[in-house]
């Protein structure tokens, strides 16, 4: 079945607000074989379905416009990647929904059915009362008038939850003969209603609930949260005896997908819990947000726990007036007996600072990024019930730096798809094998790296880099040893180097070395070139530096590669950029020397003008290891030519050693360019040429001139001698 990966954007059109419509460019509809108002599957962090409509003429072809409710149902935020595909749905026999006290039972079933007519829903989806009112056969003017007469304008902000559908295992569309009722019990089909028997395309959406024993790698967090809950809710008299308030407010932080909400739900198992989804409630209008929080607070009055997931979406740091009212409601709830408040967020810096007041969230619990050992345990748990061949999970764990539990689950799903496709073709039993997991690594990108630029690594390792013996050894000691032998550094009582500066003439392979180093150590690389972090707005550059280092910590072990670092961190006080450069240097120094240590993160800078870099950045504890990448000598040029010639059919009369000796003054890039130009010369001679001859190489020699500047090379050698002397 065809599918497209598009960029999710919020549809700001008032006509489409909360009506369950996804707008696509006409080219996307054609590629998917869809017509307007057909059902469509939407896959983000969750899977859901909606109806598809044509986007306006100014919408890019790679964009999908989703309303706020559909974004939330798919577990998406703006600018995330969403996969859309055609889907066949059932016409529902019956649907049960739940809602607020205002709506439940007050809206007749006939009116409720008309409000949901034509919408595509699944179990667990949020759906508004705003009629779709688009496309053929969906005019609901009478329903709109009935709802307005009953509730005034309040009904437009109501969100219902689909509790039960019949059929239950697929997305369904609400039809004129569908029975739509309130509640969570078994549904009763309308008289004469039948479901269209088509193959299911989507599984039901149910929130997974794990027991504490099934959690992996969070034993300390489980024990601490369990202790806090026991004291605050089960043994409050102990706290009162010590004149301490018997309340509990916890902010659970950690990378997206690390399992914060899963941890909280597992520990809270068996307690009275009311859960609010931050993005869903936060996307509503101010009145609806206040009402949702008020109802949740009222529900736990007298005992219970309020769990708010992704609280940054409900209480962002922009200090809007409604946030003050919500915080006051939470404070009032916390004064009641037997009440606890738990909030989760992957972006603690974007949460309203007042949430951390002592009378709200006075405690913080962090779910860390899993290391290789925990990743292996997570893979074992995820594959426990999967038929597998012999797997080497240590290899997969070592190749998944930066992966959280959600990423590993996605990896296992992708591997299962790979195994299923193989079994379908060969007509054999589906068994997941090592090659399926390895193949999935090429598809699944961890959440910690989504939306960020990373250096393409490839499969070239340091062993494939010709010559450069001293340079490779220096990089191995500074970067790979701390990651492979941390016990040795601890035993000797020294801290590993935090940073390395590669300097040398242009074209001598500095970036190539970084790629090879990252491939050798299975590291993620976060690359910034030149002045990309520079921003004229006060605070923006410093924020960009902080986010860069945070992404590196979240995907450790990792490299931060600062290419053209002389433009990024020039000597302070000597630039005319209104102090931007000085602030960037200060931010870099703060991150390198800061309170939060750089564990399994190494900073690599590259430059051909080391004398322009601020000296403070080159002191011990920062970019303390300076490695001179010398221009290639004859032996190195021979290795470069041999590597570059692997895919070039050279004639037998070409002597690469002699050619290398004759290319004095050529950089590594120049040597590769000679062979590339030789191949082009062969094509000019004959488009059907099968080999590159010595005459083609001679022609290329005349076209490709050496780029190394002798004066610059001499200056760099002098700089190296002064540093080593």
């Amino acid at each position: 079945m065809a599918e497209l990966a598009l960029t999710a954007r919020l549809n700001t059109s008032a006509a489409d607000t909360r009506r369950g419509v996804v707008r696509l460019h006409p080219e996307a509809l054609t590629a998917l074989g869809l017509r307007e108002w057909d059902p469509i599957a939407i896959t983000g962090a969750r899977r859901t379905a909606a109806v598809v409509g044509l986007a306006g003429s100014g919408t890019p072809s790679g964009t999908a416009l989703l309303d706020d409710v559909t974004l939330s149902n798919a577990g998406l935020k703006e600018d995330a990647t969403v996969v859309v595909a055609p889907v066949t749905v059932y016409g529902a026999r019956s649907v049960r929904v739940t809602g607020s006290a205002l709506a439940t039972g007050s809206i007749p079933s006939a009116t409720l059915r008309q409000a949901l007519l034509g919408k595509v829903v699944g179990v667990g989806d949020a759906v508004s009362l705003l009629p779709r009112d688009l496309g053929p056969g969906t005019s609901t003017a009478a329903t709109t008038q009935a709802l307005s007469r009953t509730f005034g304008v309040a009904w437009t902000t109501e969100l219902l939850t689909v509790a039960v559908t019949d059929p239950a295992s697929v997305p369904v569309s609400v039809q004129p003969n569908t029975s739509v009722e309130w509640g969570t019990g078994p549904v009763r089909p309308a008289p004469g209603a039948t479901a269209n028997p088509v193959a299911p395309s989507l599984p039901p959406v149910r929130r997974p609930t794990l027991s504490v024993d099934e959690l992996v790698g969070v034993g300390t967090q489980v024990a601490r949260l369990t202790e806090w809950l026991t004291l605050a809710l089960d043994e409050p008299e102990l706290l009162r005896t010590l004149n301490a308030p018997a309340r509990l407010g916890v902010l659970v932080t950690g990378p997206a997908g690390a399992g914060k909400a899963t941890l909280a739900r597992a520990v809270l198992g068996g307690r009275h819990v009311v859960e609010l989804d931050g993005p869903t409630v936060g996307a509503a209008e101010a009145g609806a947000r206040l009402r949702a929080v008020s109802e949740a607070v009222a529900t736990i009055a007298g005992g219970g726990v309020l769990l708010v997931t992704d609280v940054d979406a409900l209480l962002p740091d922009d200090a809007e007036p409604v946030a003050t009212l919500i915080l006051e409601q939470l404070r009032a709830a916390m004064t009641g007996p037997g009440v606890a408040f738990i909030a989760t967020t992957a972006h603690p810096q974007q949460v309203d600072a007042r949430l951390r007041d002592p009378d709200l969230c006075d405690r913080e619990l962090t779910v860390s990024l899993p290391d290789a050992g925990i990743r292996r345990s997570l893979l074992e748990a995820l594959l426990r019930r999967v038929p597998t061949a012999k797997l080497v999970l240590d290899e997969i764990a070592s190749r998944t730096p930066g992966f959280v539990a959600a990423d590993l689950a996605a990896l296992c799903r992708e591997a299962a798809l790979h195994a299923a496709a193989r079994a379908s073709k060969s007509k054999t039993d589906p068994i997941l094998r090592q090659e399926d997991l390895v193949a999935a690594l090429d598809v699944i990108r961890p959440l910690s790296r989504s939306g960020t630029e990373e250096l393409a690594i490839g499969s070239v390792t340091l062993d494939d880099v010709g010559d450069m013996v001293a340079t490779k050894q220096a990089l191995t000691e500074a970067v790979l040893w701390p990651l492979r032998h941390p016990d040795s550094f601890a035993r000797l009582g020294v801290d590993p180097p935090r940073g390395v500066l590669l300097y040398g003439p242009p074209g001598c392979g500095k970036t190539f070395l970084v790629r090879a180093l990252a491939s050798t150590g299975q590291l993620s690389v976060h690359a910034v070139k030149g002045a990309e972090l520079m921003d004229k707005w006060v605070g923006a550059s410093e924020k960009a530096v902080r986010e860069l280092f945070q992404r590196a910590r979240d995907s450790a072990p990792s490299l931060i590669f600062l290419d053209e670092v002389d433009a990024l961190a020039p000597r302070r006080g000597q630039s005319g950029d209104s102090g931007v450069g000085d602030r960037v240097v200060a931010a870099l120094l703060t991150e390198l020397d800061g309170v939060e240590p750089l564990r399994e993160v190494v900073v690599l800078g590259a430059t051909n003008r080391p004398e322009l870099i601020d000296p403070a950045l080159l002191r011990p504890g920062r970019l303390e290891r300076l490695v001179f990448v010398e221009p290639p000598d004859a032996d190195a040029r021979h290795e470069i030519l041999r590597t570059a010639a692997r895919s070039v059919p050279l004639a037998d009369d070409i002597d690469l050693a002699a050619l290398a000796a004759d290319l004095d003054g050529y950089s590594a890039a120049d040597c590769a360019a000679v062979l590339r130009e030789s191949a082009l010369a062969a094509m000019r001679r004959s488009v059907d040429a099968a080999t590159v001859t010595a005459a083609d190489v001679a022609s290329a020699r005349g076209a490709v001139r050496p780029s190394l500047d002798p004066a610059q090379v001499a200056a760099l050698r002098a700089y190296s001698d002064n540093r080593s002397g």
Side-chain angles (χ1 to χ4, degrees), residues 15 112 135 140 146 193 218 266 291 367 393 414 479 514 547 557 594 649 685:
L112 190 60
T140 50
V218 288
R291 185 160 55 253
V367 178
L393 294 181
E414 183 63 30
V479 178
V514 174
E547 291 177 346
R685 173 170 49 81

Side-chain angles (χ1 to χ4, degrees), residues 91-94 113 166-167 175-179 188-196:
R93 287 189 291 261
S94 302
R113 178 174 59 246
D166 181 17
Q175 301 295 311
N177 62 348
T178 300
S179 172
R188 183 177 63 256
T194 58
N196 187 19

Side-chain angles (χ1 to χ4, degrees), residues 606-662:
T607 181
N608 52 24
R609 298 293 303 275
E611 74 281 0
L612 299 182
I613 300 174
D614 191 279
L617 201 61
L618 305 180
R619 291 176 184 166
R622 298 162 183 173
L623 301 185
E624 59 186 77
R625 293 292 301 272
L626 274 65
V627 179
F628 181 33
V629 183
E630 295 233 22
D633 56 17
D635 291 338
R637 292 194 295 270
H638 186 203
E639 290 294 329
I640 293 166
L641 288 171
R642 281 206 311 157
T643 301
R646 287 175 182 171
S647 58
V648 180
L650 298 178
D652 295 337
D653 58 345
I654 296 178
D655 186 350
L656 290 181
L659 176 62
D662 198 31

Side-chain angles (χ1 to χ4, degrees), residues 501-502 528-530 562-570 588 604-610 612-614 617-618 623:
L501 177 67
L502 297 176
V528 175
K529 180 172 287 190
L562 307 176
D563 202 3
E564 301 174 8
V565 68
D566 53 287
L568 182 66
L588 286 172
L604 269 75
T607 181
N608 52 24
R609 298 293 303 275
L612 299 182
I613 300 174
D614 191 279
L617 201 61
L618 305 180
L623 301 185

Side-chain angles (χ1 to χ4, degrees), residues 60-80:
S61 59
T63 296
L65 299 179
L66 289 75
D67 62 66
D68 51 357
V69 174
T70 308
L71 274 173
S72 176
N73 285 340
L76 291 166
K77 293 187 177 181
E78 258 203 294
D79 297 326

Side-chain angles (χ1 to χ4, degrees), residues 556-595:
S558 61
L559 296 176
I560 297 177
F561 180 41
L562 307 176
D563 202 3
E564 301 174 8
V565 68
D566 53 287
L568 182 66
R571 289 176 179 266
R572 284 173 287 182
Q574 297 184 12
S575 61
D577 55 7
S578 302
V580 176
D582 293 356
R583 296 200 303 270
V584 169
V585 173
L588 286 172
L589 297 178
T590 299
E591 291 295 337
L592 287 167
D593 294 340
V595 175

